């Protein structure tokens, strides 16, 4: 009999660990640019903090997956937590002393992003061992709900603390990281380190996750269309709505309402997902999300009211969150255990690489054609993506779980399996009854801006 999630000690510890880390990260994500703006008075330098974070994430995401498959994952998570704690504590002390070298701020932003790139794949792999198959969707949904709640609450709390003293948001993040470190240290589940011959960051290792994804037509199509295309177009759509309903920057009420609805929709989707069982209906949910995005663009093109735009964005984000949970579950099921870290980081890389360009495209369309045509043209891009996901043969054939049916790929040389003598592990393998996967990439101290797009890899 499967133990309920509420009785799964290791899952509760990982859930709490992520809560402390993500909440602290959300507080500092607002406080860091505010600190730069306060110290320099330059909006350009303040905006550069986010650019540094995104760039660092994209550069280190694939190497982070390699590390997660090479090093024992619980140990790697502890190292990442301690590294984050040292960086944040140093920044807190500098702010408290009243002498903040501006070079320290982008270094802290980059360090946090790099650590998050390593931590995320490690959590992905460890959660696969912690959560059994029949609870995979529910566990992923609970992690998503936790992260979305932190995203709603964290910036508000961080802004309030910053108003009292600039060092307080970072001190609160340091406390959260300390608690996260303790929670990870108490986790009993272990993964096994995989010593392999050859360079750690060889071309083959770095591209192993992308090669695996490309070899499965369903994953390839969904990631390229739902991950890249929809992320790009929905980012343009939400930025256009933010700008258009803010009256050219004279009022933030309409645009703020739209963004609040986006966050509320994501949280609602995470809360509803356990009732819908998204892992069983991932394709239907992905198709429904794509066509809902098309409908949202069409409605916003003809009805210029923030309330209507907010409702449509909330509905879209609700569906996209549920669909993402289903796709994450499917991705975990079909990925061999020894490649989890690299596949997760590759999927995140594909879904994130176009994220910075969506708002840029939305702004260009809005400036050139005006709000109505910007929404309409974005809707056309969304419609193309929806058509591909609906009718492409590759998107209609879901792959089998790892170890069932046809093999998903040859075993990697140099990896010792649990059936070899002398190897003991604290995890259940994919061949044991009742084991499967389930996780969320934002379960740890990832510092990259999350955005408000229907991403297929986490929060």
């Amino acid at each position: 009999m499967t133990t309920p999630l509420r009785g799964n000690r290791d899952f509760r510890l990982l859930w709490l660990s992520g809560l402390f880390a993500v909440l602290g990260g959300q507080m500092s994500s607002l406080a860091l640019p505010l600190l730069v703006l306060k110290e320099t008075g330059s909006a350009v330098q303040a905006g550069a903090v986010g650019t540094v974070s995104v760039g660092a994430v994209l550069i280190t995401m694939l190497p982070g997956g390699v590390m997660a498959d090479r090093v024992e994952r619980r140990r790697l998570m502890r190292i990442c937590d301690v590294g984050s704690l040292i960086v944040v504590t140093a920044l807190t002390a500098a702010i408290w002393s009243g002498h903040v070298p501006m070079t320290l701020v982008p270094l802290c932003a980059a360090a946090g992003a790099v650590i998050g790139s390593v931590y995320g794949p490690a959590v992905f792999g460890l959660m696969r061992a912690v959560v059994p198959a029949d609870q995979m969707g529910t566990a992923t949904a609970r992690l998503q709900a936790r992260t979305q709640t932190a995203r709603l609450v964290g910036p508000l709390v961080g802004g309030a603390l910053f108003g009292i003293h600039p060092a307080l948001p970072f001190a609160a993040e340091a406390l959260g990281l300390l608690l996260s470190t303790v929670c990870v240290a108490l986790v009993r589940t272990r993964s096994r380190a995989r010593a392999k011959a050859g360079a750690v960051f060889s071309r083959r290792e770095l591209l192993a996750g992308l090669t695996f994804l490309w070899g499965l037509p369903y994953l390839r199509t969904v990631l390229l269309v739902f991950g890249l295309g929809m992320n790009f177009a929905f980012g343009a759509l939400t930025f256009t709505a933010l700008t258009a309903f803010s009256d050219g920057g004279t009022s933030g009420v309409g645009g703020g309402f739209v963004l609040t609805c986006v966050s509320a929709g994501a949280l609602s989707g995470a809360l509803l997902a356990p009732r819908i069982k998204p892992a069983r209906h991932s394709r239907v949910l992905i198709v429904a999300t794509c066509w809902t995005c098309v409908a949202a663009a069409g409605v916003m093109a003809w009805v210029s009211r923030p309330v209507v735009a907010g409702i449509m964005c909330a509905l879209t984000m609700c569906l996209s969150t549920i669909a993402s949970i289903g796709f994450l579950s499917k991705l975990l099921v079909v990925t061999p255990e020894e490649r989890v870290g690299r596949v997760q980081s590759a999927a995140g890389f594909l879904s994130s690489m176009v994220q910075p360009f969506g708002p840029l495209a939305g702004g260009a369309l809005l400036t050139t054609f005006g709000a109505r045509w910007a929404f309409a043209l974005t809707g056309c891009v969304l419609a193309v993506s929806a058509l591909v996901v609906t009718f492409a043969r590759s998107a209609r054939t879901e792959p089998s779980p790892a170890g069932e049916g046809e093999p998903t790929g040859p075993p990697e040389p140099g990896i010792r399996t649990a059936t070899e003598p002398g190897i003991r592990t604290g995890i259940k393998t994919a061949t044991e009854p009742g084991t499967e996967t389930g996780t969320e990439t934002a379960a740890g101290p990832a510092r990259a801006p999350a955005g408000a797009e229907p991403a297929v890899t986490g929060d």
Side-chain angles (χ1 to χ4, degrees):
M1 181 177 179
T2 304
T3 304
L5 277 180
R6 63 177 178 274
N8 188 328
R9 177 181 179 275
D10 282 354
F11 175 76
R12 293 201 315 269
L13 287 170
L14 288 176
W15 190 93
L16 285 172
S17 169
L19 175 64
F20 294 135
V22 173
L23 187 59
Q26 289 299 309
M27 287 190 287
S28 67
S29 67
L30 175 68
L32 208 56
L34 289 179
L35 175 65
V36 176
L37 193 61
K38 177 178 179 293
E39 295 290 331
T40 67
S42 171
V44 175
Q45 293 188 44
V49 173
T51 302
V52 169
S53 295
V54 172
V57 167
L58 292 177
I59 292 171
T60 59
M61 194 171 283
L62 295 180
V66 176
M67 289 296 297
D69 284 340
R70 286 270 191 152
V71 182
E72 198 281 311
R73 288 162 183 155
R74 175 180 168 274
R75 181 182 304 159
L76 188 61
M77 290 163 61
R78 293 174 65 185
I79 293 172
C80 289
D81 265 338
V82 172
S84 296
L85 180 59
I86 292 172
V87 170
V88 174
T89 301
L91 180 60
T92 304
I95 298 171
W96 204 274
S97 68
H99 302 286
V100 186
M102 280 300 100
T103 54
L104 180 62
V105 176
L107 286 175
C108 288
V114 171
I115 290 170
S117 295
V118 177
Y119 193 101
V123 175
F124 194 95
L126 192 60
M127 283 296 301
R128 173 178 174 136
V130 169
V131 180
D134 56 347
Q135 298 171 348
M136 174 181 53
T138 302
T140 307
R142 289 186 181 180
L143 294 174
Q144 290 278 6
R146 177 208 64 196
T147 301
Q148 295 301 334
T149 302
R151 287 177 179 170
L152 284 173
V153 176
L156 180 63
V157 176
L161 291 175
F162 189 88
I164 299 172
H165 192 285
L168 288 180
F170 304 101
E173 183 184 15
L175 176 60
L177 287 169
L178 178 61
L179 294 174
S180 175
T181 304
V182 173
C183 289
V184 172
L186 294 175
V187 172
R188 295 169 181 166
T189 305
R190 302 288 190 276
S191 67
R192 58 188 181 276
R194 290 171 174 78
K196 292 180 58 180
V200 176
F201 298 124
S202 65
R203 180 178 178 181
R204 178 183 179 184
E205 287 289 289
L206 292 173
L207 298 181
L210 292 172
T211 302
F212 176 82
L213 293 172
W214 192 260
L216 293 177
Y218 174 80
L219 297 181
R220 179 176 69 232
T221 302
V222 172
L223 280 170
L224 288 178
V225 178
F226 189 60
L228 265 74
M230 294 296 293
N231 274 357
F232 174 80
F234 193 74
L237 185 71
T238 52
F239 182 82
T240 302
L242 169 64
T243 306
F245 297 121
S246 295
D247 297 326
T250 59
S251 172
V253 176
F257 175 77
V258 171
L259 293 185
T260 299
C261 288
V262 169
S263 298
L267 178 58
S268 300
L271 294 174
L272 288 172
R275 300 177 180 273
I276 299 175
K277 306 295 183 184
R280 301 178 184 176
H281 315 288
S282 59
R283 169 174 154 71
V284 174
L285 289 167
I286 289 172
V287 171
T289 298
C290 292
W291 287 110
T292 303
C293 286
V294 176
V299 169
M300 284 188 274
W302 295 104
V303 182
S304 299
R305 295 183 179 179
V307 174
V308 175
I311 292 172
M312 294 304 299
C313 286
L315 176 61
T316 300
M317 276 306 299
C318 180
L319 283 173
S320 70
T321 301
I322 299 173
S324 295
I325 291 171
F327 181 78
L328 280 171
S329 302
K330 179 64 64 176
L331 181 64
L332 278 164
V333 170
V334 303
T335 303
E337 199 273 337
E338 71 273 6
R339 304 186 190 183
V340 170
R342 286 166 292 173
V343 170
Q344 185 274 335
S345 62
F349 178 80
L350 288 175
S351 297
S352 303
M353 61 187 300
V354 297
Q355 179 181 332
F357 302 105
L360 181 64
L365 290 174
L366 186 62
T367 302
T368 307
F369 301 104
R372 174 164 294 183
W373 278 105
F375 285 126
L377 291 173
T378 304
C380 291
V381 177
L382 292 166
V384 171
S385 299
L387 287 169
V388 173
V389 170
T390 303
F391 296 108
R393 178 179 298 178
S394 57
R396 299 199 302 268
T397 306
E398 299 185 6
S400 302
E404 296 183 13
E406 296 182 1
T408 56
E412 297 187 64
I415 295 180
R416 299 166 64 195
T417 66
T419 57
E420 296 182 33
I423 295 182
R424 299 179 60 189
T425 65
I427 64 174
K428 298 196 291 182
T429 66
T431 57
E432 296 181 29
T435 38
E436 206 169 275
T437 58
T439 189
E440 176 218 26
T441 58
R447 302 292 182 267
E453 72 288 337
V456 296
T457 57
D459 158 354

